Structure formats: structure tokens, C-alpha cells
Amino acid sequence: MILLISDLHLQEERPDITRAFLDLLDGRARHARALYILGDFFEAWIGDDGMTPFQTGICQALRALSDSGTQVLLMHGNRDFLIGEAFCKAAGATLLADPSVVEMGGEPVLLMHGDSLCTLDLAYMKLRRYLRNPVSLWILRHLPLGTRQKLARKLRSESRAQTRMKATDIVDVTPEEVPRIMAQYGVRTLVHGHTHRPAIHKLLVDGQPARRIVLGDWDRQGWALEVDEQGFQLQPFAFP
């Protein structure tokens, strides 16, 4: 069995989400072959050198899961793209490229965070290209810690304000982009998060039936995609 989750936005201000995640690690995830976290695991990440005691605790919990035999794989989101190899090494996790094709359920599956599919959001796509540029990443990682903290707060505040103002179709994936990227990678199943709109969408890719599975965000409840002999099951669950 494989578990996939995304968009937990872990932060000290939401202990209910943290408890639910730790319960998942101590329960279902211990029986999984692998746990995939497809981005926005943390609400914000300013660099591995800026880990708070809260984030260190999460890191240790992931390490315990990894040491128990469950493979942990982590993908960057738009909130935590500065997570680096130091955190992953301490957590016993493998950093996964976005996008990645992984064999699961007897087929190749395309895994993404999902923000790169929102191509109609031109302002965000421009910012994303700038922030993910290797030179920009190097500069960001070498800014003073206090400067990075202020920048993270500013970007989060602007993101919330802009999302409220944008039309629904702009902050969702671009319909034409989905079959294009799936055809490019030769897959019939795409799994992503980011949009906070959990669902399983049916579509055609090169004339063949395909599906796009959207993971839910952890806010009022948790979401996990379970892949086993029965197939792909997108499941909500209540917080403890």
C-alpha cells in the first residue's frame, strides 16, 4: 500500500492538523510501503538553517517513520520550495523532482505539486520562474535569516490577498495544460495537490481514457490517496 498526501500547511498555529498528521504517521503510514508528500507540507520554509523547534519535531517524526521501514518521499510546493537536502537527510526522506513519474498501481503515474499547471495565473507563473531559478535560489538561501523571515511573511500575505481577488479559473489548473503534460510524459494518471479542490476527474489523453486525481488540503479534515490492490482511493478523514 502507498499513501499520498499534500497541502498540510503545517504550522504551530494549527495543532489540530499536526496531531492528525502525527496520528497518520503512527498508524496507517506504518503499514505503507511509501508515503509521498506532494508539496506545501509546511506553511512556510525559509531554509534548513532556520528550522524551528516545531519543525524539528516534525522532522524527527518523519525519521521515525523512515526508520520503521516506510519510504518517505517529499516534493516541493509553492510554500516550502526551500526545503533542502539537510532537512531530507535528517528526516530520512528523499526529495522528489516536480514533476516525477513513479510506478504505482501497476502503471506509470505522474506526480506534481500542481502549481505549474495553473498557467492562466500569469503573475504567479512569472514569480515562480524567478523564485525557482537556480541563481535566485542561491541568493535566497544566503540571505540573513531575519530577511528571509520577513520575505516569507510578505509573500504569504500577498498570496492570500491576490488569491481572494483572482477569478476561480485563474487559480485552478488550466484545462488544456493537463492532457498536454500527461501526453508529454506518456501517462494516463496524474496526481497533484495545490488547488485545495479534491476530486477525481476523468478526461481523454490522445483519445484514451485518463484521470486526474486532486489531493485535498488539510484544514477542516485530512485527505489521503491510498493506492493498493483495489486501486486508487481518495479518502477524507476527520481530525482526532
Side-chain angles (χ1 to χ4, degrees), residues 178-180 182 188 201-211:
V178 173
R180 187 198 71 78
M182 293 179 71
R188 293 295 175 264
H201 302 274
K202 295 181 179 180
L203 67 150
L204 293 177
V205 174
D206 291 337
Q208 299 297 316
R211 59 187 167 182

Side-chain angles (χ1 to χ4, degrees), residues 103-205:
E103 190 80 18
M104 59 177 66
E107 63 172 300
V109 176
L110 181 62
L111 304 180
M112 306 177 71
H113 174 56
D115 57 330
S116 62
L117 297 170
C118 304
T119 58
L120 291 178
D121 192 345
L122 300 180
Y124 172 73
M125 296 303 292
K126 181 179 179 180
L127 177 64
R128 187 184 192 277
R129 284 192 296 272
Y130 171 75
L131 291 176
R132 303 300 182 93
N133 181 284
V135 175
S136 300
L137 287 172
W138 188 92
I139 293 172
L140 284 170
R141 289 192 174 104
H142 288 80
L143 288 173
L145 196 56
T147 302
R148 278 179 274 153
Q149 289 169 334
K150 291 178 183 177
L151 181 60
R153 287 194 294 269
K154 181 175 183 290
L155 288 174
R156 286 202 307 274
S157 176
E158 289 179 352
S159 175
R160 293 190 188 105
Q162 291 172 4
T163 298
R164 286 194 295 268
M165 295 170 59
K166 289 173 181 174
T168 300
D169 60 338
I170 290 179
V171 296
D172 201 354
V173 302
T174 304
E176 295 79 13
E177 182 67 9
V178 173
R180 187 198 71 78
I181 196 79
M182 293 179 71
Q184 177 182 333
Y185 284 91
V187 300
R188 293 295 175 264
T189 298
L190 164 65
V191 180
H192 72 83
H194 180 64
T195 63
H196 299 188
R197 297 172 183 178
I200 299 179
H201 302 274
K202 295 181 179 180
L203 67 150
L204 293 177
V205 174

Side-chain angles (χ1 to χ4, degrees), residues 55-67:
Q55 293 167 337
T56 299
I58 298 298
C59 177
Q60 293 169 343
L62 282 178
R63 184 73 202 205
L65 177 68
S66 176
D67 288 346

Side-chain angles (χ1 to χ4, degrees), residues 48-49 52 62 73 87 169 172 194 197 211-212 215:
D48 293 357
D49 61 331
T52 65
L62 282 178
L73 302 105
F87 172 82
D169 60 338
D172 201 354
H194 180 64
R197 297 172 183 178
R211 59 187 167 182
R212 174 171 67 97
L215 302 174

